[in-house]
Amino acid sequence: MTNKTDSDRLWAMACHLSALLGYCVPLGNIVAPLVIWLAKRDQSGYIDEQGKEALNFQITMTIAFCVAVVLVFVVVGIFLLPILALVNLILIIIAAISAYKGQPFRYPFCLRFVK
């Protein structure tokens, strides 16, 4: 896994950036990284690792968004939703940059569903 080709780094970055689709398409933040990961995971251990990381984080964020939507009814969610959206966006960008540099990225506070 030490030798990462340009293609490996590009696909790893695409796994992270594809989650941005969730801002336009419902559940696009999960489906897009899943499709890329499933298509490319056998090509490289690096793509496999970063694809799982992106997928796990987006599943975690989707759960957090659902909880925040429920909490809107007790006002707390009104403040949580924009914070979650901003944190998601920032971490996706940081992860994509790290992945393209060939540096494995681990999202903070991420539940590991896909191992």
Side-chain angles (χ1 to χ4, degrees):
M1 195 153 67
T2 55
N3 294 334
K4 298 170 189 87
T5 66
D6 289 342
S7 176
D8 293 345
R9 293 183 301 115
L10 184 66
W11 282 110
M13 179 184 72
C15 283
H16 293 289
L17 288 178
S18 65
L20 294 174
L21 190 60
Y23 286 98
C24 303
V25 177
L27 296 179
N29 63 319
I30 293 175
V31 174
L34 177 63
V35 168
I36 293 172
W37 174 64
L38 288 174
K40 295 293 184 175
R41 68 181 171 184
D42 295 330
Q43 180 178 324
S44 159
Y46 184 61
I47 296 171
D48 182 45
E49 172 194 356
Q50 291 302 294
K52 285 189 278 191
E53 192 66 22
L55 188 57
N56 281 325
F57 182 66
Q58 290 308 312
I59 293 169
T60 302
M61 290 305 291
T62 300
I63 292 168
F65 275 109
C66 290
V67 170
V69 166
V70 171
L71 290 176
V72 164
F73 297 109
V74 291
V75 181
V76 176
I78 294 170
F79 302 104
L80 282 178
L81 284 171
I83 291 170
L84 285 173
L86 186 61
V87 166
N88 189 36
L89 179 64
I90 290 169
L91 288 176
I92 287 171
I93 292 169
I94 292 170
I97 291 169
S98 292
Y100 190 73
K101 288 181 180 178
Q103 303 164 346
F105 185 81
R106 298 273 295 179
Y107 287 98
F109 58 86
C110 178
L111 303 172
R112 311 275 176 226
F113 293 105
V114 181
K115 302 222 180 223

